[in-house]
């Protein structure tokens, strides 16, 4: 679908507010912008900080979904790809399993409730009315179709596990991109902190008790990056102990 056709569809479904919201999402999710910023960021780190253990910011690593305990929603999964940040951002977190999306998934697939009976439904409807768009939906009909896709996602993951190459969420007005994965950032002590993308995929992986899922690492704490640098410099045995260090393990 062309950009013009998408815009007409959005206006028809969500009006001007929906168009503005969708336009912001389109720009923020654009893969070319994300890759350009990440490339410039990595070059800066190499030349100014001398980092040698920088990771591909769009590569996937396998992690235990139940090791993702906390979330930080202040990190932009696209525009901050590959960032190394100091400070206390990794301590400003909330429990992931207290989120409305996780609790709704648990109520739907563990307790067997209808989507309309879950804790997140009314909140999404209020946002839809106030903002004209939520999660790529511009009407209650869109929201219902999204619920049907999540039901299909659950069934697919239950039967076949999680394949990041599959287009689970279906089309919406945002840019369709392989960058849209479950995203985490890594705190100073190696904690995996959810920071957006694939909320339902992660929640379903948790309730299905999948052993591992692929995730994309967005931001690393400066103290954790220093640990990666030590692993590269000294070939430390700890490279076996964390999914973000496995790339340095001896074959």
């Amino acid at each position: 679908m062309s950009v013009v056709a998408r815009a007409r569809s959005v206006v028809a479904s969500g009006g001007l507010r929906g168009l503005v919201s969708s336009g912001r999402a389109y720009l923020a999710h654009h893969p070319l912008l994300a890759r350009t910023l990440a490339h410039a960021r990595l070059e800066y780190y190499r030349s100014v900080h001398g980092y040698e253990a920088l990771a591909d910011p769009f590569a996937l690593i396998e992690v235990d979904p139940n090791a993702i305990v906390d979330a930080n929603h202040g990190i932009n999964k696209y525009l901050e790809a590959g960032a190394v940040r100091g400070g206390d951002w990794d301590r400003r977190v909330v429990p992931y399993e207290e989120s409305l999306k996780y609790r709704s998934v648990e109520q739907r697939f563990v307790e067997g409730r209808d989507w309309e009976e879950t804790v997140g439904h009314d909140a999404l409807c209020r946002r839809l009315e106030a903002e004209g768009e939520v999660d790529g939906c511009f009407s209650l009909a869109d929201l219902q179709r999204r619920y049907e896709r999540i039901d299909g996602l659950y069934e697919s993951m239950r039967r076949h596990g999680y394949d990041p190459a599959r287009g689970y969420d279906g089309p919406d007005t945002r840019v369709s991109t392989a960058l849209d994965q479950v995203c985490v950032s890594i705190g100073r002590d190696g904690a995996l902190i959810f920071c957006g993308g694939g909320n339902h995929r992660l929640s379903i992986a948790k309730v299905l008790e999948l052993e591992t899922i692929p995730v994309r690492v967005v931001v690393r704490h400066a103290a954790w990056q220093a640990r990666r640098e030590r692993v590269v410099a000294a070939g430390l045995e700890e490279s076996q102990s964390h999914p973000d260090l496995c790339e340095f393990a001896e074959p």
Side-chain angles (χ1 to χ4, degrees), residues 18-31:
L19 179 61
V20 172
S21 177
S22 180
R24 285 200 208 100
Y26 182 92
L27 292 174
H29 289 71
H30 202 287

Side-chain angles (χ1 to χ4, degrees), residues 163-251:
D163 177 359
R166 291 175 64 89
Y168 287 116
D169 290 334
D172 64 24
T173 58
R174 296 171 178 150
V175 174
S176 177
T177 169
L179 304 187
D180 186 24
Q181 303 291 341
V182 176
C183 293
V184 301
S185 290
I186 301 182
R188 68 193 69 197
D189 298 320
L192 303 173
I193 303 168
F194 178 76
C195 61
N199 230 316
H200 291 109
R201 284 166 274 175
L202 174 58
S203 297
I204 290 171
K206 282 174 169 283
V207 301
L208 287 174
E209 298 182 345
L210 299 185
E211 291 185 2
T212 65
I213 61 169
V215 302
R216 181 165 68 82
V217 179
V218 180
V219 175
R220 288 173 174 83
H221 195 280
W224 180 255
Q225 181 63 35
R227 185 170 176 179
R228 284 175 57 90
E229 298 295 324
R230 291 195 299 272
V231 168
V232 168
L236 301 180
E237 292 182 1
E238 66 178 345
S239 61
Q240 301 282 351
S241 64
H242 192 283
D244 192 47
L245 300 175
C246 288
E247 64 187 285
F248 307 127
E250 291 293 333

